[in-house]
Amino acid sequence: MATIFTQAGEELVADILDASVAQPTWYVGWGTGAGTAAKGDTTLFTEATETRIAATMSQPSADINQAVATITADGTKTITNAGILSAVTTGTLLVHGDHTGVGVVLNDSIQYTIQITWT
């Protein structure tokens, strides 16, 4: 399993810091495809049909940013990955993580807590 701060995500943060782009609203999405998250990823693996959820952002310590969102299944599927994205559709994949498949059925939900630690 891997959780990656993507290359595209790094570039977006650099653009936010120099004010060449506006701070986006961050969203969490999930996917059903197979794979291992990698630095060059720009999309989730087979993004699922549920709408991305606006993340509740916080800073639990001086060097950590945290995104929390709960996604509810619109049907039966196996969720294998999730990420933070800069838009409700398309957008930039900031962080991508894969995990062991979690089977869900209609109205099941998963709450994701994704932390970025700045070291």
Side-chain angles (χ1 to χ4, degrees), residues 4-17 20-22 24 26 37-44 84-87 90-96 116 118:
I4 303 294
F5 185 32
T6 68
Q7 182 64 42
E10 287 182 10
E11 293 168 8
L12 177 59
V13 169
D15 289 344
I16 292 167
L17 291 174
S20 61
V21 299
W26 298 109
K39 188 78 173 170
D41 289 349
T42 58
T43 62
L44 299 172
I84 302 172
L85 301 108
S86 66
T90 64
T92 299
L93 181 62
L94 181 73
V95 172
H96 188 201
I116 301 170
W118 304 96

Side-chain angles (χ1 to χ4, degrees), residues 54-76:
T56 299
M57 300 300 296
S58 64
Q59 189 175 356
S61 68
D63 64 346
I64 297 175
N65 291 102
Q66 178 173 281
V68 177
T70 301
I71 303 175
T72 301
D74 64 8
T76 302

